[in-house]
């Protein structure tokens, strides 16, 4: 991926002082996933251009700590757009290569960082929800925005354009520090992915980098949600802190592309309705949850997990499976149930398992507690003897990530071979999607969903599966019920017929 910054401010070679990179030589540095190279295609008194070329290793992205988008699907791990699209990798490279400039420091010419410069930026290429979104993000900051479309296949023009664009930005007078900060925040927002863990430090970075301009931006809600990957635990407090002392509020008519739900830690939300939906009233449960009047409201994601944990608690099983355990949030709830003697978490993603181990602090667990839990890598589509002999199994928001024609393989593994006495399967309720203003008809809540079933479709699948394998099934809504469309998520509780 390539980013260039040009200026006609004279002497234009002052750009080298600002960036702390000598125009006379190539400079390279190691970054996450590969190398970054800084060089100057042109450097005269009239015009100077600095280029940042990021060279990522596709194999290294999979084998390294960061992982790759689509990890767990063997081909997509290695064949994807990560090495070519401006993303969080480029933001990280900007910070490492031009960190001093981003901080507004110039030792040799201390007054220069405050100087408004005519600047032109080119980014090849960006991924965006649509060609209008780069304009909606950069034009409110005073940029002239030009978009070059990229065809899906130049030899087949009838296929139309892809979602990749070359981005041109121009500003007649802006500090270089501001330009770098805008790019640092907004490029990952356009790409809608990050290669590293999102935590409280990311919220602090957004407040630091965006505190001067983000509160006034008409798309601040969209930017904050995407930058923090829809993690309600960080999105809502960060927006509140951004707006402290600012009389602006969210525009009533603001619209955004669909905010994807995922099973990631931190309860990503599709809309404010989900992030603040009232949880089903319950007494303090096995995971320590308190859902009563005056208690903090839970996201739909946390409601799902706590409802499954509560159902498992009522059964008092000794051995429990979390299939598709992700980063370990349900595992953490299950560990709080002392009657469970052994818990096995399985996921196809090695990266997710590593994060689960870190978040559960497996290395620091007392020996007796550590014997209660193991994490393994595996696929639900292949027979696995390790899954046999369990009392209960949970598949929370897992099935919709598989192609429908692969559900038969999952069924054979879980219900045919492993045969836990109790199985809990949750999935989104497609009937409810019409209530999400940000979803168009036919769209799914997450880019990786292969399908989303209505209540009737889910019931038909669950009932037929139960009959084939000797289970009884009970269907349960998850989240607040709405007349005519049901709850936002749905769960099938399978109990092995012991008669």
């Amino acid at each position: 991926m390539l980013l260039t910054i040009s200026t006609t401010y004279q002497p234009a070679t002052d750009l080298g002082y600002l960036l702390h990179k000598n125009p006379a030589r190539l400079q390279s540095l190691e970054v996450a996933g590969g190398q970054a190279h800084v060089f100057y295609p042109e450097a005269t008194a009239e015009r100077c251009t600095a280029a940042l070329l990021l060279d990522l290793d596709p194999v290294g992205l999979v084998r390294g700590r960061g992982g790759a988008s689509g990890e767990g699907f063997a081909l997509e791990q290695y064949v994807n757009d990560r090495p070519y699209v401006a993303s969080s990798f480029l933001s990280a490279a900007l910070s490492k290569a031009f960190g001093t400039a981003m901080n507004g420091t110039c030792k040799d010419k201390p007054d220069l960082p405050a100087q408004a410069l005519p600047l032109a930026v080119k980014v090849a290429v960006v991924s965006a929800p649509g060609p209008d979104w780069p304009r909606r993000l950069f034009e409110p900051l005073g940029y002239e925005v030009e978009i070059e479309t990229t065809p899906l296949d130049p030899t087949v023009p009838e296929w139309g354009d892809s979602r990749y664009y070359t981005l041109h930005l121009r500003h007649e007078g802006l500090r270089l520090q501001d330009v770098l900060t805008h790019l640092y925040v907004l490029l990952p927002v356009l790409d809608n992915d990050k290669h590293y863990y999102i935590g409280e430090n990311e919220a602090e970075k957004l407040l630091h980098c965006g505190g001067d301009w983000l509160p006034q931006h008409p798309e601040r809600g969209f930017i904050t949600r995407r930058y923090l990957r829809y993690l309600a635990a960080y999105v809502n407090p960060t927006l509140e802190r951004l707006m402290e002392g600012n009389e602006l509020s969210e525009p009533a008519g603001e619209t955004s592309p669909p905010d994807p739900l995922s099973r990631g830690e931190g309860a990503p939300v599709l809309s404010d309705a989900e992030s603040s939906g009232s949880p089903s009233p319950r007494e303090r449960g096995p995971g320590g949850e308190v859902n009563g009047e005056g208690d903090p409201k839970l996201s739909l994601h946390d409601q799902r997990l706590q409802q499954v944990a509560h159902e498992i608690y009522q059964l008092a099983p000794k051995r429990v499976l979390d299939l598709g355990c992700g980063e370990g949030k349900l595992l953490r709830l299950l560990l709080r149930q002392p009657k469970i003697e052994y818990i096995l978490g399985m996921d196809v993603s090695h990266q997710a398992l590593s994060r689960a181990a870190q978040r559960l602090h497996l290395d620091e667990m007392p020996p007796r507690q550590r014997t209660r839990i193991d994490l393994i890598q595996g696929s639900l589509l292949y027979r696995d003897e390790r899954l046999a002999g369990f009392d209960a199994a949970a598949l929370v928001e897992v099935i919709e990530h598989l192609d429908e024609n692969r559900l038969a393989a999952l069924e054979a593994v879980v219900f045919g071979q492993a045969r836990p006495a109790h199985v809990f399967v949750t999935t989104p309720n497609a009937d409810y999607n019409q209530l999400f203003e940000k979803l168009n008809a036919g769209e799914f809540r997450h880019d990786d969903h292969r399908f989303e079933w209505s209540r009737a479709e889910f019931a038909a699948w669950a009932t037929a599966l139960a009959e084939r394998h000797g289970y009884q099934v009970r269907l349960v809504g998850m989240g607040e019920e709405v007349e005519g469309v049901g709850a936002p998520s749905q769960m099938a509780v399978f109990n092995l017929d012991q008669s």
Side-chain angles (χ1 to χ4, degrees):
M1 59 197 77
L2 178 66
L3 179 148
T4 62
I5 302 174
S6 302
T7 186
T8 54
Y9 169 84
Q10 296 188 7
T13 48
D14 275 358
L15 183 62
Y17 288 102
L18 281 170
L19 294 175
H20 289 255
K21 295 292 182 290
N22 189 337
R25 63 186 181 91
L26 168 72
Q27 300 182 55
S28 300
L29 57 152
E30 297 288 334
V31 295
Q35 281 194 321
H37 308 282
V38 179
F39 58 95
Y40 290 76
E42 55 182 342
T44 67
E46 293 75 27
R47 181 178 175 86
C48 186
T49 298
L52 176 63
L53 175 66
L54 187 55
D55 183 15
L56 297 182
D57 175 14
V59 176
L61 293 181
V62 179
R63 295 177 179 173
R65 293 180 61 189
S69 179
E71 183 176 20
F73 298 91
L75 180 61
E76 190 176 352
Q77 290 185 73
Y78 295 93
V79 183
N80 54 63
D81 63 8
R82 296 301 83 193
Y84 315 108
V85 172
S87 64
S88 59
F89 285 103
L90 185 56
S91 285
L94 273 172
S95 178
K96 189 167 185 178
F98 304 140
T100 306
M102 288 180 66
N103 290 329
T105 302
C106 183
K107 180 180 178 181
D108 295 322
K109 297 190 175 185
D111 296 332
L112 190 57
Q115 179 70 45
L117 310 177
L119 293 167
V121 177
K122 178 181 178 181
V123 188
V125 294
V126 298
S127 171
D132 190 46
W133 273 100
R135 294 187 176 89
R136 294 178 69 166
L137 295 188
F138 285 98
E139 283 183 350
L141 299 172
Y143 294 94
E144 295 179 17
V145 181
E146 180 183 343
I147 303 294
E148 289 183 36
T149 59
T150 304
L152 277 171
D153 188 333
T155 65
V156 191
E158 58 268 25
W159 286 1
D161 293 327
S162 71
R163 60 185 177 90
Y164 301 108
Y165 310 90
T166 298
L167 175 64
H168 297 267
L169 304 172
R170 294 184 181 276
H171 204 295
E172 291 305 314
L174 194 63
R175 298 183 307 170
L176 178 64
Q177 175 186 8
D178 296 327
V179 173
L180 294 174
T181 302
H182 297 157
L183 293 170
Y184 178 83
V185 172
L186 296 179
L187 289 179
V189 169
L190 281 173
D191 180 59
N192 197 30
D193 196 8
K194 282 199 173 180
H195 69 280
Y196 52 83
Y197 170 69
I198 303 299
E200 187 173 350
N201 63 321
E202 280 301 290
E204 293 298 327
K205 280 199 290 186
L206 181 61
L207 290 167
H208 174 72
C209 295
D212 292 337
W213 53 272
L214 190 52
Q216 293 80 31
H217 200 293
E219 303 294 347
R220 60 189 169 274
F222 173 72
I223 293 168
T224 304
R225 285 190 290 272
R226 280 200 162 206
Y227 188 86
L228 297 175
R229 299 297 296 130
Y230 314 98
L231 302 181
Y234 304 119
V235 170
N236 298 334
T238 301
L239 280 171
E240 290 176 3
R241 291 176 62 186
L242 280 172
M243 302 312 296
E244 285 178 1
N246 195 312
E247 296 180 359
L248 292 173
S249 60
E250 288 293 319
E254 178 178 285
T255 59
S256 301
D259 289 358
L261 280 166
S262 78
R263 197 192 161 181
E265 185 93 12
V269 290
L270 178 64
S271 68
D272 295 338
E274 282 206 346
S275 66
S276 61
S278 301
S280 303
R282 264 202 315 267
E283 299 298 323
R284 184 177 294 273
E289 71 274 12
V290 183
N291 293 340
E293 186 175 354
D295 294 318
K297 293 181 177 181
L298 297 178
S299 67
L300 175 60
H301 179 73
D302 282 335
Q303 290 182 58
R304 294 187 196 111
L305 296 177
Q306 293 197 356
Q307 191 167 341
V308 171
H310 185 74
E311 293 266 1
I312 292 174
Y313 175 78
Q314 291 179 315
L315 297 172
K318 293 184 178 181
R319 293 169 57 85
V320 179
L321 281 169
D322 184 3
L323 300 174
C325 64
E327 298 177 0
K329 197 166 188 180
L330 179 60
L331 296 172
R332 186 162 50 196
L333 297 178
L334 296 176
L335 279 169
R336 297 174 185 173
Q337 301 186 24
K339 293 183 180 180
I340 300 179
E341 297 176 359
Y342 181 67
I343 304 162
L344 182 63
M346 188 177 86
D347 202 279
V348 74
S349 169
H350 176 74
Q351 180 186 357
L353 292 172
S354 296
R355 290 182 177 174
Q358 293 173 4
R359 295 185 178 190
L360 294 169
H361 303 288
L362 293 189
D363 293 341
E364 304 169 16
M365 275 188 182
R368 186 173 179 180
Q369 180 80 335
R370 183 63 183 86
T371 60
R372 294 182 61 214
I373 184 168
D374 281 315
L375 304 178
I376 62 172
Q377 187 173 16
S379 170
L380 290 173
L381 303 181
Y382 302 98
R383 291 177 60 87
D384 194 328
E385 299 298 334
R386 297 173 296 178
L387 306 184
F390 285 84
D391 303 310
L395 293 90
V396 180
E397 309 300 288
V398 170
I399 62 172
E400 64 273 11
H401 293 273
L402 302 174
D403 292 321
E404 286 192 69
N405 60 9
R406 293 194 165 193
L407 291 179
L410 178 145
E411 176 184 334
V413 170
V414 177
F415 295 89
Q417 178 208 355
R419 294 186 66 77
H422 310 278
V423 183
F424 303 88
V425 179
T426 79
T427 193
N429 167 24
D431 293 332
Y432 196 91
N433 286 356
Q434 62 185 279
L435 300 185
F436 294 129
E437 295 181 0
K438 300 165 189 170
L439 276 186
N440 297 319
E443 289 182 333
F444 296 152
R445 302 183 193 180
H446 190 285
D447 293 338
D448 191 49
H449 285 184
R450 302 301 197 265
F451 64 88
E452 288 179 3
W453 277 339
S454 67
R455 289 168 295 169
E457 289 170 325
F458 185 53
W461 174 80
T463 301
L465 185 153
E467 291 177 354
R468 286 193 293 269
H469 295 280
Y471 283 80
Q472 296 178 347
V473 64
R474 171 170 56 93
L475 299 173
V476 183
M478 308 186 82
E480 186 175 356
E481 296 271 349
V482 175
E483 186 177 356
V485 297
S489 281
Q490 49 193 339
M491 175 168 63
V493 181
F494 296 90
N495 299 303
L496 191 59
D497 192 346
Q498 304 291 347
S499 59

